[in-house]
Each structure stands twice: as structure tokens, then as C-alpha cells.
Amino acid sequence: MHADIMLNHAVTGLEGPLLFARREANVSLNDAVEVIGSEGRARVGRVSALDEETMVIEVLESTTGLNLDGTRIRIRQRPLEMSLGPNLLGRVFNSVGQPIDGGPPVPARQRRRVDGMAINPAARDLPRDFIETTVSTIDLMNSLVRGQKLPLFSCGGLPHDRLATQIAQRARLRGAETGEFCVVFVGIGVPYDIAENFRYAMEKSGALAHTAMFLNHADEPSTQRLLTPRFALTAAEYLAFVEGRHVLVVMTDMTNYCEALREVSASHGEIPSRKGYPGYMYSDLASIFERAGCIKGLPGTLTQLPILTMPGDDIGHPIPDLTGYITEGQIVLGRELDRKGVYPPVEVLPSLSRLMDAGTGKGYTHADHPALSNQLFACYARASRARVLASVMGVDGLPETDRRFLEFGDAFEERLVSQEQPRTLEQSMALGWELLRLLPASELTRLSADQLARYIEIEPEPVEPDPETGAGVG
Amino acid sequence: MSRARIQWIGGPVLKARVSEPFQIHEALAVGEQRLLGEVIQLSGDLLTAQVYEDTTGLKPGDPVIGTGLPLSVALGPGILGHIFDGLLRPLGDVGEHWFRPGLAAARSNEFEFEPRLAEGDEVRGGQVFGEVAGLGPGRACLVPPLIAGRVRSIRPPGTYAEDATVLVVEGEDGAEHALAMQHDWPVRRPRPAAERLSADAPMVTGQRILDTLFPVARGGRAALPGGFGTGKTVLQESLAKWCDADVIVYVGCGERGNEMADVLNEFPELEDPRTGRPLMERTVIIANTSNMPVAAREASIYTAITVAEYFRDQGLHVALMADSTSRWAEALREVSGRLGELPGESGYPAYLASRLADFYERASRVRTLNGEEGSVTVIGAVSPPAGDFSEPVTSHTKRYVRSFWALDRGRAQARSYPAIHPLKSYAEDVDTLARWWQLQGNSEWKDYRRRLLGLLETQARLERMARIVGKDSLPAEQQLSLLAADLMNEGFLRQSAFSEVDRFCSPKRQTAMLRLMMQFIDLAGEAVERGVSPAEIAAMPILRTLQRLGEEFGEADLDSKPQLAARIGEAFHALHVAEENADAR
Ligand SMILES: Nc1ncnc2c1ncn2[C@@H]1O[C@H](COP(=O)(O)OP(=O)(O)OP(=O)(O)O)[C@@H](O)[C@H]1O
Ligand SMILES: [Mg+2]
């Protein structure tokens, strides 16, 4: 075991988050350090470059209050790590993994590198277990599976937190007990009330005991935001791959993370790429999102539900764009639906779950699930095209079929997208078939003759009671 | 071996003070863990190197040892069927859950060797000196390209390690070369061939929209640009599964770990439709996922194409899928930034274009040094920021490829896959490839192709018009054009990668489907001329069969084509009879 080394009077310069010091000890690249100001407060940092005489330390917390003379450096002689042990659940931590709930420290059974290690792609097990979120637009149209990373792309002011909280409360495997399921909530630059609302909701549903929270508040230094998800994911990996739990990591708001990344990069004087974000933002985000997954021979799973708000509501902005290139799909929330009063305002067309094909269909959910969602997608896309036409020449100018599609589109949003109560997959599917019956059977070319016969060309059923009512979480 | 000591280190780049001479691009062993690195600059007594693994824990004073060779990979019979990292170190058999620096052990597989030469025989570079028993493709043992001379000794049939000496050649210069079933080759140097040949046949992909509209030649190069989630990976995987190459090299460059796991999981279960063997046997996976070291991402593309050339040199047809070349370009940008080079467009180094050109130039159809025909077809995915094709990587790539498959977000959102936009894509070798289709008994291929593209163009124009005047007020034959284009989109161009029946479409089935569609469209045209309304045609029950033809007319149903054709004929006949009766009344 390496011992800590203390350097006094070694600091030669301070520049933004960077601290320059004489290399008076045997220091290696990426060694964790504590930078201790004359006021006695320790800040986490790491050695980011070094030569024979000098070293550059990246201070990962605020440098305010540091000076050249009174600052001491404790060198850990090993990379940044987190101590982990039992009883993480039910606890609240700060950005650097220290408990802030007044409880005892976490017993240290194991140290894990905060940066994580890449999962050997050959050791990955394919995520296949369908998670029922009870949200139709997800379960039916963009299914989530264990080990997936599926972000919510939202806009400022939309109810993404409410949706994420609901998913965290209700998500379960079909036909299984909640069992070893747990939640890690990661607040990155979030206001106190968001963290508190989440805590309150989890408490109310009795899930708080299965939840660990990592909080970086909006008024805390932005450089720390780069650490929050890393500490949280290190704990999540421990919960999943050591304790064997099925972990759902809710991270909000990744946009704050990216802003912090831009800020730190700028203070390093790096050449920016698009919109001032660093060229390595893709790799940096991947080092977070790729920590989701299932591993052969290890019991638990790590599922990620990151939330980001798209700056300027623009999905082409580098933050959602790079995220979309890394994650396994995205659930897009839209302002227009929200204005129409649709909750959850999920824009179905730009949403996607790439692992849906692996986790749905025969042997996973229902044999006709893929065809149904496919047909709904095709019809809803056609309905949106018809809407564009209608906006140009009015509904009356449209051929009869297009008008039917318009009706379908409205019904789809009002009855399937919009949902106040949880629905089982069966309820969502029944609703889907019902909506398709609004259209001429000849238009439903994604369904087989058999599916048409079984679900579409049946005798009209007596008016059904509102599917919302009486729908319980199974 | 030359030695140096680390003088400065930051991220994956280091500077070291040299005491003995190094070469540019020389491979290095860095630090006590002997991490793999490569010299990228030499100036005075300082060398600059990039390290292909996590550099955590390195420090000034640590040793840097030259290997005397440029960055190379060991090419041999142990490659096919396995998964490697970006520098061809095995990932599959290490039994490790996590990817760690210095992780990969040298592979030392044993193979059954059968000599094909005898003592005293003359040998040339690229010649086959032996074969490995029990392998599918890739069983030839090649003399390394630059060696020639006479066989001094060769081992009898038997089981040997891949790197054990089985052949000793006395070179023309008198030097002795001890050769094994595997040999090293520098990844950045193209492997030589006797002659480059021009395109003659398509690489059959089994995807209708590609084979029929935008074919790629064997030994050709294609680019597949598209925003996130538009279907690049699924299409690359589909090609890897069903295209008619002998060997597939699949490189996941800066993409998702789960996608690699997917290939690893699925390919052993799937059968090559031509040979009946598990697809994995003809596949090599090279994985540098987005969370693996960035510098190795840059190298992985070269590793992949070197492996592809190695199989080409055995007289095989190889298809290289690179997903995604944009991540490679970004790795180039990142390393360039760390070296303090002057950034060009979007921060990419000025040499981006020439690097891309060099890479695509390695796609080829050749006469090998051994006198056989072999090819490397390159298919590169491009991930343009915000799906904007005017960005540097897409626009430069466009200059070097001959087939351009533009993925379209709108089509993807409507789940109309493959989401290739027929009016934004192109293929340059159509005239040459028409001859191949003629030999397959489809001499109308080019005409059909032109008609189909014409139809889709007309559709785009008419839809703009319909937006102003309304669809119902278009003349009947224009309404029919719209209906025909819809039919082609839905019934022919759409092809789900996840449908057991339709994921692969043989040229024969493509031809049959196309003929049925054209028959319908022709008869519909005649009917409209005779006064039948487009609405009546749209209501014909046979239309549904055609819209679902991909699903309902599989490879096993090819024999039923005449019946289907007859049904189409009868349906129109019935329409006319009904029409006449109505007129008579
Ligand atoms: N040919 C196809 N058949 C059926 N589904 C497809 C096809 N192509 C794409 N898809 C669907 O679209 C999803 C996204 O495709 P894919 O992962 O290939 O996108 P991509 O272009 O590689 O995205 P990224 O750039 O983010 O990697 C798939 O998960 C699948 O559901
Ligand atoms: Mg992809």
C-alpha cells in the first residue's frame, strides 16, 4: 500500500482550476490529491500532467480561498477512488461521495476507481429483460430493458422530473418481485427543491430505503459536477456488480454537467469544438453512459435514465446530439404536447429505443408487440404528414383517408400518449389495437393477415370503460 | 532496442528523452506495465509518443523501450472468428470483465499445419506455403510480402503454435528468414498486390435498396452517413451478416459496447446462406468502444484494414465495416490538439482529408502476389454532428467513395427502414455492374432502376404540387404515379433487418419482386388510360399483397412467382369486366 505524501510550500501558480507545483515527491499521472487551503478545507484534485520538476494539478472543486504560500498538497499515490461497503441505500452523499445526511461513514470494504474501467465488450451480456415502466409511450413504443442507457431529452419547464420519478417508483420486471431493485439518484447542479421533491416522492412510495442520492446543488462549484456522476456510478457499479442488485440510475441534469465541462475546458485553454464544447465531449460522456450494462457471470445490472434539457429546445445542439450518438435511444419530450395538456408529453416519432428489438416480442413480452408498435409508428408518422398538409390547405382539402389519419393522430395523443394512471403492457397494447381500428384495414400493411383478423377485423366491441380507470400496477 | 525515459506526460501523450535512436512510428513499450505506444514526433533528443492504453500511474523517469518495428499486428490463422481490441489483442478469451491496461495476453493458439512447399522450392512474397486444416476461409499461410528466396526447411504436417517457426527461407541476399503461420505487418503500410483491377461485379448485400438502386462494387467503397439512430449500425450489421463476401472485418470504432456484444452473441447462431456455416467463422470483430482509450481508436481503423488486406491476399473477397469513421476522425483531432497542431475546419487537423483518402484508397480489387483475385470492399459509417452532411468528415468522405448511402431522419422516424434516402444517395459504378445483372438473367436491371428512381423523383415533385392544389385535384395518371411510388417505398424499398423472412433478399428474389411490382404498375397505367380511377386501383385487394411482398414472398416462395403474376393479371381483368358491365348498364 502506498502512503500519502504531504507537500508544503510546493505551489508555484494558480490559474483557474489548475494548480502548478514543484514535483518534490514521487508523483504519477492521475494520482489523486487533496489540496488543502490555509483555512484547512481539503479539495479533491488529480495530477493531470507532469515532468521531471513540475506538475499540474487539476483541482476538481472550487479554488476560491487558495493561495501560493499556505496551500498544502496531500498526494494519495493512487488514482481517485471511492470507498464502498454495505448500507449505501437510504443514504445521501455529496459530489465526492461523502455522506451529508448526518449518518455514519460508509464502512470501507472495497475501493473502486471513480473513473471506472471500461467493461470488456466481450464480457457484456446483452440487455434483454423488459422493464415495465407503466408508461405506454415507453413500454409499448420505446421499451426499456435492464442494462440500457435511455435518456430523456426535455426542454426547460417540462415535467421530465415527474416522469423520471414515476419511472423510478414504478419500474419493475413483469411477473417479478421488485426484489433487488434499487435507485441511485444523481442531482447535477439541481436546485434544492428538485432533489427534495424526488426524495419526498420516493419516501411516500416507500422506495427511499432502496435509494441512494448523490447531490451537487446548483449553488455548488460547477467543477464538482464533473465528479458527481462518476462517484454515483462507482457506487451504482458496486451495488450492481458486487451486491448483485438491479440498479436504475436517474441523472439530472446532464446539461449542467456539459456546461461544467465546457467551463473547465475553457479554463484549460483548450481549443473548443462546436459551440465552445470541448472536442472530447463525446468520449467524456461515453465514459459515463457506457457504464450501463449487464456483465456475463455477474448478478446485477446497471440501467441509466439520464435527463437533459435541450438548450434552445434544439435536438441538434451538441449536448443532445452527442448524447444521442452514445445512448441506446432517447425519449423526447415536447413543448407542443405539453401545451395541449398531454402528460407525459412524449414526442413519439423522434423517440427511439434501440434495445427494443432485443427485449420485446415472442418469449419476451408479447408475440405481436413489435408489429403493433411498428404499425402505430407508421400510422402516427402518416398522421403527422397529413397534419402538415391540413395546415396548408385545410382539413376539407384532404382526401378521405388522410382525414381518417388525422383523427387517428389526435386519438393517439389524447388516449395513448396522455396518461394519468399507470398502465400494464397489456393495457397499453389493447389501447393500441383499439386505436388502429380507427383506420381502414387496408392501410395497416405492417400487420399480417392473421393479426388483422385477430385484432382489427373483429366485431366492434361494446363501448369499453375508460382504460385509465381500474388500471392498477400489477 | 532503443531506450528513453519519460520526461513529460499528460493524458495519452508523452515526451521522452532518448539515449539511442528511435524511428518515427516505431512501436514502444511504455513504463513497467509495458503499455503499447507509438512514436509520433522526433525532435532533437526528445520523442513524442501516443500511448494506446490508460496512462494512469506513469511518471517522469519511467522507461520507454523501442521495439525496432513500426506499429504492427500479427496476422495469422488465429484471427477469424474472434474479437480483438483496436491493436488486435484478443478480448474474447481473457475472461476479464473489465478492460485494463496491459490486459491482453499474446494469443498462442495451436493449429494443424500442412506444408504446400518442399525444401529447395523457390518462394516469393505473398505465396501460399502451407494450409491450416479445419479452418473455413483464411486457411492459407502466406509468405510475408517482402520476402523471397528458396526453402531451406519446412516442417512436416503437424500441430504447431501460430508463432512457431514452420518454414525457413534463405533470402536472395543470403539472409535467413524463420517464418511462422502468422507474420507481422505494420498497420499504416498498405500490403502490396501484384496489380489493381477495376470493378467488375457488385458485392451483393441482400438489401434491395442497395443492390437494386445503389450497388457497391466488389473492392469498392461506400459511405453511410446519418444522424444518430438513423440505422447505420443495423445496416452495417445486416451487410456483415448477409453480403456475399468470404470474410467480414467489423470494426466498432468509438461506438457502443452493447453493439459489439450483439454481434458476438448473434453471429455464432446465424448461418451463412451460401455456405451453411456459422457466420462467426467468417467474421473478425475489432472493438474499440467509446469508453476505451482514444488513441487506440485512431489505430483501430488501420488495424482493421490491414487484417482485411491480409485475407484479400489469400484470394478472398473481404468486406470491411467501419462504424464509425467520424469517431476515428475525432480521435485524430484529439491527438492533434494535444500535439498543439494548428486546427483547421471544425478543429480537425489539415491532414484529415488526406488521411481519409489514404484509408479509402486501401479498398481494392487486386491480383494478389500469389496470382489470385481478391478484394477489400470498405463500408464506412459517418456520424455527422446534428445530421448535417456539410461538415468536414462527411464532405471529404464523399469525395473518395463511389457509393453514397444517405440516411434520412424522416424515414427513420416513420420506421421505414433502411432509411436510405433514394434521392440523396448515389452509386457511380452502375454501368459496369449492369453486366453482372445481365449474367444473372436480369437484363432489365438498369431500366428498372432508372424507372424506379424516376418514379421516386416524380413523387417528390408531385407531393410538392399536391400540397398546393390537393391530391384529389391531380390528374389521374399523376395520382397513379403517387400510388406507384408509395407501393415501391412500402413494398420494395422497405426491408426490416429483424424480419426472419425479409432480412436477406437474394438477387433472384429482388428481380422477381421488381418484376411483379412493375407488372402491377404497368397494368394499373393501362387501366387508368382506359378510364379506371386511381381510387379503384388503390382499393384492389392484391395491392396489400404487393405492399407486404417482402414478408409474404420469401426465398422459399420463389416458385410461386408465376401464380402471383397470374393473380395480378386476373385482378386487373376482373376490374375491366366490372368496368364493362357498368358501362353496359
Ligand atoms: N434496417 C432496419 N430494420 C429494422 N430496424 C432498423 C433498421 N435500421 C435501423 N433500425 C432501427 O433503428 C434503430 C437505430 O439504428 P442504429 O442503431 O443502426 O442507428 P445508428 O445510425 O447506428 O445510430 P448511432 O449513430 O447513434 O450509432 C435500431 O435500434 C432499430 O430499432
Ligand atoms: Mg450506430
Side-chain angles (χ1 to χ4, degrees):
Chain A
M1 198 88 249
H2 297 283
D4 290 356
I5 301 172
M6 191 63 117
L7 297 183
N8 299 319
H9 310 297
V11 179
T12 57
L14 266 164
E15 225 180 279
L18 299 185
L19 184 149
F20 300 84
R22 281 186 298 277
R23 180 172 167 254
E24 289 170 352
N26 196 17
V27 181
S28 309
L29 191 65
N30 282 344
D31 274 356
V33 301
E34 266 176 21
V35 178
I36 306 159
S38 36
E39 83 283 48
R41 199 165 76 75
R43 298 153 177 87
V44 178
R46 66 152 70 93
V47 177
S48 68
L50 68 170
D51 63 18
E52 284 141 353
E53 281 96 43
T54 61
M55 58 185 175
V56 183
I57 290 171
E58 186 180 358
V59 183
L60 301 164
E61 301 183 56
S62 166
T63 49
T64 317
L66 292 182
N67 57 22
L68 298 190
D69 291 339
T71 300
R72 293 172 298 152
I73 306 170
R74 174 180 289 134
I75 304 202
R76 291 286 195 197
Q77 293 211 296
R78 53 170 185 258
L80 205 53
E81 290 172 334
M82 180 177 184
S83 299
L84 291 152
N87 306 326
L88 288 171
L89 295 176
R91 304 294 308 270
V92 184
F93 303 89
N94 66 7
S95 294
V96 290
Q98 295 155 343
I100 47 169
D101 52 4
V106 171
R109 291 283 166 78
Q110 199 186 72
R111 291 171 168 286
R112 294 176 80 94
R113 268 188 73 178
V114 167
D115 287 327
M117 279 186 291
I119 300 175
N120 180 351
R124 278 185 188 266
D125 218 350
L126 229 50
R128 280 192 179 280
D129 297 331
F130 175 84
I131 299 177
E132 192 171 77
T133 64
T134 74
V135 179
S136 297
T137 39
I138 299 179
D139 293 350
L140 178 61
M141 306 298 285
N142 296 289
S143 316
L144 172 70
V145 297
R146 268 182 181 168
Q148 185 172 10
K149 38 191 179 294
L150 187 64
L152 295 181
F153 283 11
S154 189
C155 312
L158 296 191
H160 41 263
D161 294 314
R162 178 174 163 207
L163 180 59
T165 308
Q166 281 179 357
I167 294 172
Q169 284 172 327
R170 294 177 187 158
R172 52 155 204 150
L173 277 199
R174 282 150 55 78
E177 293 299 305
T178 37
E180 298 303 307
F181 180 78
C182 70
V183 175
V184 173
F185 177 87
V186 194
I188 306 165
V190 293
Y192 280 87
D193 53 329
I194 288 186
E196 184 49 31
N197 287 346
F198 183 84
R199 202 195 61 79
Y200 176 73
M202 294 309 271
E203 186 169 36
K204 217 175 65 180
S205 67
L208 197 60
H210 302 286
T211 303
M213 298 179 73
F214 286 77
L215 299 179
N216 163 268
H217 289 296
D219 58 359
E220 286 177 303
S222 61
T223 38
Q224 272 191 9
R225 283 172 203 155
L226 304 187
L227 291 174
T228 325
R230 295 196 159 81
F231 274 92
L233 284 166
T234 306
E237 280 171 352
Y238 177 83
L239 289 166
F241 303 127
V242 178
E243 294 194 343
R245 294 170 201 274
H246 298 291
V247 188
L248 177 69
V249 183
V250 177
M251 295 190 272
T252 184
D253 179 333
M254 287 307 288
T255 299
N256 294 339
Y257 175 89
C258 295
E259 297 304 348
L261 196 67
R262 173 164 72 171
E263 203 178 310
V264 169
S265 163
S267 63
H268 284 204
E270 289 162 348
I271 301 158
S273 176
R274 247 190 337 145
K275 297 217 159 127
Y277 296 93
Y280 53 78
M281 188 153 93
Y282 173 84
S283 299
D284 187 279
L285 286 173
S287 74
I288 292 175
F289 295 139
E290 277 289 312
R291 292 172 82 166
C294 312
I295 301 180
K296 283 182 187 148
L298 292 183
T301 56
L302 201 163
T303 309
Q304 289 185 12
L305 194 71
I307 299 169
L308 61 84
T309 42
M310 302 182 277
D313 296 2
D314 174 15
I315 198 168
H317 184 280
I319 296 174
D321 191 49
L322 292 179
T323 302
Y325 272 120
I326 300 164
T327 52
E328 284 142 352
Q330 66 279 336
I331 303 294
V332 182
L333 304 188
R335 229 176 254 297
E336 205 176 316
L337 283 176
D338 187 55
R339 263 197 298 265
K340 285 190 199 166
V342 172
Y343 174 84
V346 174
E347 296 278 3
V348 166
L349 293 180
S351 298
L352 170 72
S353 164
R354 296 163 196 244
L355 299 182
M356 180 159 180
D357 310 290
T360 59
K362 198 160 170 245
Y364 296 99
T365 52
H366 188 286
D368 297 320
H369 180 179
L372 171 59
S373 80
N374 220 305
Q375 184 66 70
L376 286 168
F377 269 118
C379 293
Y380 188 54
R382 171 99 189 254
S384 350
R385 279 201 303 276
R387 270 185 194 163
V388 174
L389 283 183
S391 70
V392 181
M393 46 195 189
V395 178
D396 297 336
L398 292 186
E400 164 66 15
T401 346
D402 282 352
R403 286 201 297 266
R404 298 274 291 272
F405 272 99
L406 279 184
E407 283 164 29
F408 166 84
D410 292 339
F412 182 85
E413 287 167 9
E414 284 157 22
R415 297 174 53 195
L416 191 134
V417 178
S418 169
Q419 143 177 33
E420 288 301 327
Q421 293 298 318
R423 291 188 197 126
T424 63
L425 177 66
E426 282 70 23
Q427 289 170 326
S428 297
M429 283 185 68
L431 200 50
W433 294 121
E434 205 181 306
L435 290 172
L436 288 181
R437 275 178 236 134
L438 296 173
L439 292 166
S442 58
E443 295 294 330
L444 306 180
T445 54
R446 309 266 168 116
L447 302 180
S448 67
D450 178 50
Q451 286 160 339
L452 275 189
R454 266 187 301 139
Y455 299 110
I456 306 296
E457 291 160 337
I458 49 177
E459 288 299 301
E461 285 173 32
V463 182
E464 272 188 48
D466 183 0
E468 300 276 16
T469 56
V473 208
Chain B
M1 267 176 247
S2 317
R3 295 181 153 271
R5 296 224 163 254
I6 295 183
Q7 187 261 340
W8 173 92
I9 176 141
V13 175
L14 62 80
K15 291 185 194 300
R17 205 175 303 279
V18 305
S19 36
E20 288 140 302
F22 282 77
Q23 303 160 25
I24 192 90
H25 291 147
E26 182 168 348
L28 304 170
V30 177
E32 265 120 51
Q33 281 181 291
R34 305 184 62 82
L35 305 179
L36 186 59
E38 183 184 5
V39 179
I40 43 181
Q41 277 174 8
L42 286 168
S43 106
D45 67 342
L46 273 190
L47 69 75
T48 306
Q50 58 180 332
V51 183
Y52 292 119
E53 302 182 68
D54 182 5
T55 48
T56 296
L58 288 178
K59 54 185 182 301
D62 281 353
V64 175
I65 300 169
T67 60
L69 292 170
L71 186 70
S72 302
V73 291
L75 303 165
I79 298 178
L80 265 186
H82 298 283
I83 178 168
F84 301 89
D85 76 354
L87 295 150
L88 214 65
R89 295 173 300 182
L91 288 174
D93 317 318
V94 287
E96 292 270 352
H97 293 138
W98 309 97
F99 181 77
R100 274 202 274 259
L103 161 78
R107 48 173 218 266
S108 71
N109 302 331
E110 298 202 321
F111 290 94
E112 223 172 294
F113 172 72
E114 288 167 3
R116 289 285 176 268
L117 292 177
E119 234 176 270
D121 284 352
E122 296 242 10
V123 289
R124 290 167 283 106
Q127 193 175 345
V128 177
F129 68 84
E131 277 192 8
V132 177
L135 282 190
R139 68 184 87 85
C141 304
L142 299 181
V143 176
L146 305 178
I147 288 177
R150 199 172 285 280
V151 175
R152 174 168 295 167
S153 67
I154 187 161
R155 303 300 297 263
T159 304
Y160 302 94
E162 203 179 352
D163 56 358
T165 302
V166 287
L167 170 71
V168 179
V169 171
E170 189 182 316
E172 277 153 358
D173 52 356
E176 195 170 277
H177 304 280
L179 304 177
M181 282 180 266
Q182 73 175 35
H183 66 261
D184 287 343
W185 188 264
V187 295
R188 297 187 198 275
R189 187 185 312 159
R191 287 174 63 93
E195 183 191 356
R196 278 182 90 109
L197 306 172
S198 53
D200 68 335
M203 179 175 85
V204 176
T205 64
Q207 304 296 309
R208 287 186 288 275
I209 191 163
L210 299 184
D211 292 341
T212 297
L213 287 186
F214 307 111
V216 58
R218 271 206 163 143
R221 34 195 197 274
L224 183 56
F228 64 79
T230 48
K232 298 179 290 296
T233 305
V234 173
L235 192 64
Q236 295 247 27
E237 284 184 19
S238 294
L239 298 191
K241 287 172 192 166
W242 312 120
C243 81
D244 66 348
D246 303 311
V247 168
I248 304 293
V249 181
Y250 194 103
V251 50
C253 175
E255 292 289 311
R256 302 172 185 84
N258 277 334
E259 292 171 349
M260 302 288 104
D262 190 34
V263 175
L264 268 181
N265 192 56
E266 204 181 2
F267 278 40
E269 309 287 310
L270 292 172
E271 227 173 57
D272 183 340
R274 275 163 305 274
T275 62
R277 310 282 310 167
L279 277 177
M280 198 62 208
E281 280 184 8
R282 68 165 194 179
T283 308
V284 186
I285 306 173
I286 294 172
N288 179 279
T289 56
S290 54
N291 55 345
M292 282 158 79
V294 172
R297 193 177 301 168
E298 192 265 334
S300 66
I301 289 282
Y302 295 102
T303 299
I305 195 134
T306 305
V307 168
E309 286 173 345
Y310 165 70
F311 289 112
R312 173 203 73 187
D313 291 348
Q314 301 185 29
L316 297 168
H317 294 292
V318 185
L320 170 73
M321 315 290 160
D323 186 14
S324 156
T325 59
S326 294
R327 306 299 164 223
W328 167 74
E330 285 164 12
L332 208 64
R333 174 171 73 186
E334 200 169 321
V335 173
S336 157
R338 288 196 189 266
L339 296 179
E341 290 170 346
L342 211 60
E345 224 180 327
S346 298
Y348 288 104
Y351 47 79
L352 171 71
S354 63
R355 291 286 169 89
L356 275 168
D358 291 347
F359 168 67
Y360 280 106
E361 200 50 31
R362 288 174 78 171
S364 55
R365 189 170 82 91
V366 302
R367 174 130 352 263
T368 67
L369 294 178
N370 200 36
E372 295 164 297
E373 182 195 328
S375 67
V376 174
T377 309
V378 172
I379 296 169
V382 187
S383 317
D388 171 11
F389 291 179
S390 65
E391 59 91 37
V393 182
T394 317
S395 55
H396 289 307
T397 300
K398 208 168 176 178
R399 289 161 50 203
Y400 307 122
V401 297
R402 298 191 57 83
S403 304
F404 189 77
W405 303 331
L407 291 175
D408 179 58
R409 182 152 278 162
R411 283 183 171 244
Q413 290 193 350
R415 272 45 173 184
S416 190
Y417 297 116
I420 294 171
H421 197 298
L423 302 181
K424 291 181 188 154
S425 305
Y426 59 79
E428 293 183 32
D429 291 316
V430 167
D431 291 329
T432 326
L433 302 181
R435 276 196 299 277
W436 181 89
W437 280 95
Q438 214 161 11
L439 294 176
Q440 307 300 305
N442 179 353
S443 40
E444 312 101 308
W445 178 71
K446 230 174 114 178
D447 288 337
Y448 279 165
R449 180 179 182 274
R450 199 173 305 130
R451 257 188 89 180
L452 181 46
L453 282 174
L455 200 55
L456 296 166
E457 237 158 79
T458 309
Q459 178 192 33
R461 185 167 49 82
L462 291 181
E463 271 180 354
R464 275 196 301 272
M465 234 153 82
R467 228 172 252 195
I468 302 161
V469 299
K471 220 190 234 171
D472 286 345
S473 32
L474 293 179
E477 82 272 11
Q478 293 191 345
Q479 286 186 39
L480 181 66
S481 291
L482 286 176
L483 187 142
D486 276 342
L487 172 62
M488 291 315 286
N489 272 317
E490 183 68 17
F492 188 78
L493 298 182
R494 193 166 73 78
Q495 184 177 0
S496 168
F498 303 112
S499 156
E500 296 233 349
V501 179
D502 205 25
R503 59 194 183 186
F504 165 75
C505 192
S506 65
K508 217 166 156 194
R509 185 157 76 100
Q510 297 189 29
T511 304
M513 285 177 69
L514 204 50
R515 286 197 174 130
L516 289 168
M517 299 282 175
M518 292 299 178
Q519 181 198 359
F520 178 91
I521 293 172
D522 288 340
L523 288 175
E526 285 169 23
V528 166
E529 245 167 59
R530 235 178 272 143
V532 176
S533 78
E536 281 169 281
I537 290 176
M540 290 171 77
I542 187 82
L543 194 55
R544 187 181 148 83
T545 310
L546 289 176
Q547 281 164 334
R548 291 183 47 80
L549 204 56
E551 285 296 329
E552 293 183 359
F553 177 71
E555 298 295 330
D557 309 315
L558 276 174
D559 289 343
S560 68
K561 194 217 154 208
Q563 283 96 302
L564 263 172
R567 267 177 61 202
I568 296 174
E570 280 157 24
F572 278 99
H573 184 71
L575 205 62
H576 293 317
V577 173
E579 202 84 0
E580 274 162 22
N581 288 348
D583 286 352
R585 254 182 271 124

